[in-house]
Amino acid sequence: MKDIDLRFETLALHGNGAQNEAHNAIRFPVYSGVAFDFDRAEDMELAFTYRKPAHAYSRITNPTVDHFEKKLTLLEDGLGTIALSSGMAALSTTLLALLQQGDSIVASKHLFGNTYSLLKETLTPFGVETRFVDIRNPEEVEKAVDPTTRILLLETITNPQMVVPDFNEIAEIARQHGVVVMVDGTVTTPYLFKAKDFGAHLVLHSTTKYISGGATSVGGAVVDLGTYDWRRNPALTKYHKYGQGAFLARLRMEVHRNFGSCMAPQSAYLQTLGLETLFLRVKTSCENSLRIAGFLQQRGEVIKVNYPGLAESSFHELARRQFNGGYGGVLSFELGSKEEAFRFINKLKLIRRATNINDNKTLIIHPASTIFSDCSPEEREQMDVPDTLIRLSVGIENVRDLINDISQALDNLKL
Ligand SMILES: *Cc1c(COP(=O)(O)O)cnc(C)c1O
């Protein structure tokens, strides 16, 4: 298998990378236990000093989690992956591994709400400053970078604004300043977006979303794409001896180990299943999204539709060029007022009112009053989250049933 060149779909199913399963089980099992036996004290010493890979304790590594990590590494064409208990755990431990007091981050002002809060509320008191920029404006991005800047953080398609960055432009700024490009690729997954081909150094996923296979479990992962020279990062000085592996070494052996936010083996099992069918689900939800976006555009009640799949979208060209034939499974649109948005949401009969995205089922939410309710009205305006905005995460149902539901809710808007 190792020497044949396989495509994404086949790799997702057959790609292993992990050692053979003890009983040759086709489906890698759940090793739900905690500790692993060693033959000799010498072997324990080798394992604990990281000179010979071996599972010792499930908080640090576990065979089922390892299997999931290796599959994701193959799909991203990366150097290595560490799976964590959630997307937020992947983000927070990655930042903690790469930053020291006095460092700064330059981040897109269009970010997942909790990521924004992590940067702004949680990290600031520890002496890590984040400058939020409009990622569409390269001069603004470049101006925000200074010698303390270690990381440029952005998302592949932001939600609910649906902004798509020009990754080549960002990568060029990062290259000139020696900064790490850290991409949250949750909504595109390695199936739609090959971060490595667009100058990213690290790609993060909330595997809770698409990868989990349909909201089966919470999880996260960070993939080192093997493209950054970690000798440039002062927080990794002690780990420079690991060369290209310096970041993964510090995360695995220190930060991840000490913070303890490991992925549960049961979750890794479910998420490995999710990876196998990822391409099917992503494809269908993207096709459904495009159809729904087109339908919404034609309705008079709808003021504006944000979806990079639409030819009218200012991000269409970028999305077409950077993503693998799909435009994501999330879209947003505006109605005339907050009251209309609420009435529309309440009239839906099939689509669920829930906060997740990239589930198999279609979900709807009013972002300003929920996910962004922590933010002041000024912050919401800054982040382009108006009161009139609705976010739809499109599942894999028959699209005619979804359009019928949306249509009847719009018909009844004034009633
Ligand atoms: C959901 C999400 C996260 C956080 O992931 P959790 O698994 O919920 O912790 C981070 N980034 C993006 C883009 C997300 O959609």
Side-chain angles (χ1 to χ4, degrees):
M1 247 216 46
K2 277 223 155 35
D3 50 7
I4 37 178
D5 196 13
L6 300 174
R7 286 162 188 80
F8 187 95
E9 296 82 346
T10 319
L11 263 186
L13 289 158
H14 296 281
N16 182 353
Q19 69 279 33
N20 282 339
E21 197 280 313
H23 301 282
N24 293 329
I26 297 273
R27 164 79 48 223
F28 200 90
V30 181
Y31 284 84
S32 65
V34 174
F36 300 84
D37 193 13
F38 288 86
D39 285 338
R40 304 175 313 140
E42 288 80 357
D43 296 329
M44 285 187 98
E45 184 181 26
L46 288 174
F48 275 74
T49 51
Y50 306 104
R51 281 178 288 166
K52 194 174 161 209
H55 299 293
Y57 191 72
S58 283
R59 168 157 47 74
I60 304 160
T61 66
N62 168 279
T64 314
V65 177
D66 181 53
H67 181 67
F68 171 67
E69 291 172 340
K70 293 214 160 86
K71 213 183 249 286
L72 188 54
T73 302
L74 280 177
L75 296 179
E76 289 283 9
D77 189 22
L79 176 71
T81 299
I82 297 182
L84 291 120
S85 57
S86 68
M88 289 317 297
L91 269 157
S92 56
T93 55
T94 297
L95 294 175
L96 288 166
L98 291 177
L99 297 167
Q100 294 178 322
Q101 192 175 26
D103 287 345
S104 67
I105 303 168
V106 171
S108 164
K109 68 172 183 168
H110 298 118
L111 282 178
F112 176 68
N114 297 166
T115 304
Y116 177 78
S117 164
L118 168 72
L119 298 173
K120 191 157 189 253
E121 313 291 336
T122 315
L123 288 181
T124 307
F126 289 96
V128 172
E129 186 202 348
T130 300
R131 300 180 200 116
F132 295 96
V133 295
D134 190 334
I135 215 83
R136 294 167 290 193
N137 181 347
E139 286 92 55
E140 190 181 330
V141 177
E142 176 127 41
K143 256 196 11 228
V145 176
D146 72 13
T148 68
T149 307
R150 305 278 168 246
I151 295 172
L152 238 160
L153 173 62
L154 65 163
E155 297 176 5
T156 48
I157 311 175
T158 73
N159 101 60
Q161 310 87 357
M162 316 306 299
V163 168
V164 178
D166 183 332
F167 283 97
N168 291 333
E169 212 171 74
I170 297 296
E172 183 50 30
I173 296 170
R175 200 187 57 74
Q176 280 175 17
H177 297 269
V179 173
V180 176
V181 179
M182 183 167 152
V183 174
D184 181 335
T186 298
V187 299
T188 41
T189 80
Y191 180 64
L192 286 184
F193 181 65
K194 268 281 162 334
K196 191 176 178 176
D197 295 344
F198 291 90
H201 304 109
L202 297 175
V203 61
L204 286 99
H205 297 288
S206 164
T207 61
T208 312
K209 312 293 164 52
Y210 269 132
I211 290 178
S212 75
T216 64
S217 47
V218 177
V222 52
V223 186
D224 184 340
L225 298 167
T227 50
Y228 190 79
D229 180 357
W230 295 116
R231 284 173 302 187
R232 305 184 76 135
N233 184 295
L236 295 176
T237 303
K238 200 177 136 192
Y239 295 88
H240 286 168
K241 63 182 178 205
Y242 294 100
Q244 281 294 86
F247 162 71
L248 289 170
R250 183 174 192 211
L251 185 54
R252 177 79 75 192
M253 300 177 197
E254 184 194 327
V255 179
H256 165 59
R257 189 197 63 188
N258 295 352
F259 278 79
S261 39
C262 54
M263 177 178 275
Q266 288 79 3
S267 303
Y269 178 83
L270 292 169
Q271 305 214 352
T272 305
L273 270 175
L275 278 181
E276 292 189 0
T277 58
L278 182 67
F279 68 96
L280 290 170
R281 293 178 290 102
V282 171
K283 238 184 195 167
T284 305
S285 77
C286 287
E287 284 163 16
N288 286 354
S289 301
L290 188 56
R291 289 273 301 276
I292 291 171
F295 170 81
L296 286 170
Q297 221 178 10
Q298 285 164 12
R299 292 288 304 223
E301 302 88 342
V302 178
I303 312 291
K304 188 177 173 217
V305 184
N306 305 307
Y307 187 63
L310 293 171
E312 295 79 3
S313 159
S314 48
F315 302 107
H316 185 64
E317 242 342 271
L318 276 174
R320 204 187 50 75
R321 183 152 55 76
Q322 301 180 124
F323 305 146
N324 172 31
Y327 301 93
V330 182
L331 58 89
S332 64
F333 58 99
E334 286 183 57
L335 294 179
S337 63
K338 178 181 175 183
E339 291 66 36
E340 271 193 23
F342 270 37
R343 227 174 308 150
F344 172 78
I345 290 171
N346 291 338
K347 296 269 183 206
L348 292 167
K349 294 175 178 166
L350 171 67
I351 293 169
R352 311 286 185 99
R353 288 161 282 271
T355 185
N356 196 18
I357 55 167
N358 303 330
D359 194 335
N360 295 336
K361 301 181 177 86
T362 299
L363 311 176
I364 199 153
I365 197 163
H366 179 256
S369 63
T370 56
I371 311 166
F372 293 89
S373 57
D374 270 3
C375 301
S376 65
E378 295 73 39
E379 279 178 306
R380 283 199 292 270
E381 195 184 311
Q382 258 281 307
M383 295 165 130
D384 300 308
V385 184
D387 253 3
T388 46
L389 192 75
I390 293 173
R391 180 185 82 189
L392 192 68
S393 171
V394 180
I396 58 173
E397 298 95 337
N398 186 306
V399 72
R400 279 171 298 185
D401 292 331
L402 295 173
I403 288 178
N404 285 343
D405 196 27
I406 293 168
S407 181
Q408 65 80 24
L410 286 174
D411 290 342
N412 289 315
L413 210 52
K414 307 285 182 201
L415 302 182

